[in-house]
Amino acid sequence: TATSEGIGAHNSQNSVDWMGTYEAVVPCADCAGIMTNLTLNKDNTFTISEEYLDKKSKNEDKGTFSWDATGSIISLNEKSTKYQYKVGENTLFMLDTEGKEIQGALKEHYIFKKK
């Protein structure tokens, strides 16, 4: 069936090898950081593990994610996990609560690299 995406329209969803596991140590206000592993699957499901360093605390979640209309941003759709990421080549950029890339001195800590 035909879609309205347009012929030859390249975006992260259809032109980047985005499936896989990504990792980052995200800054934390009251711990050494949060070791985060996020796995994106071809069927638009995810698993995420967040380990709070120095606290012996770990959260895990799984569910589905959806792509925005541009095909470049994903949103995790679960009760306890409300994150958004801009998808790049072997990289995820964690977005703030307004859906914008995080800026400032710590911005590199919000960039997830594919393992």
Side-chain angles (χ1 to χ4, degrees), residues 38-51:
L38 173 61
T39 301
L40 302 178
N41 301 303
K42 186 175 185 175
D43 63 356
N44 288 0
T45 61
F46 76 89
T47 57
I48 190 168
S49 168
E50 298 172 300
E51 183 178 351

Side-chain angles (χ1 to χ4, degrees), residues 86-100:
K86 183 176 179 184
V87 180
E89 190 70 46
N90 297 317
T91 309
L92 296 177
F93 300 90
M94 188 173 187
L95 303 179
D96 66 16
T97 56
E98 296 177 2
K100 296 178 180 162

Side-chain angles (χ1 to χ4, degrees), residues 16-84:
V16 172
D17 181 21
W18 52 264
M19 293 164 281
T21 300
Y22 297 82
E23 182 177 86
V25 178
V26 177
C28 175
D30 61 351
C31 69
I34 306 168
M35 173 60 75
T36 306
N37 284 281
L38 173 61
T39 301
L40 302 178
N41 301 303
K42 186 175 185 175
D43 63 356
N44 288 0
T45 61
F46 76 89
T47 57
I48 190 168
S49 168
E50 298 172 300
E51 183 178 351
Y52 291 76
L53 304 177
D54 301 341
K55 286 194 163 221
K56 297 185 180 180
S57 174
K58 188 173 186 178
N59 293 329
E60 294 183 349
D61 202 354
K62 61 184 176 178
T64 60
F65 64 89
S66 57
W67 291 88
D68 73 344
T70 69
S72 62
I73 294 174
I74 60 168
S75 297
L76 305 188
N77 303 315
E78 270 311 303
K79 289 179 208 156
S80 65
T81 308
K82 298 286 185 194
Y83 301 127
Q84 287 187 310

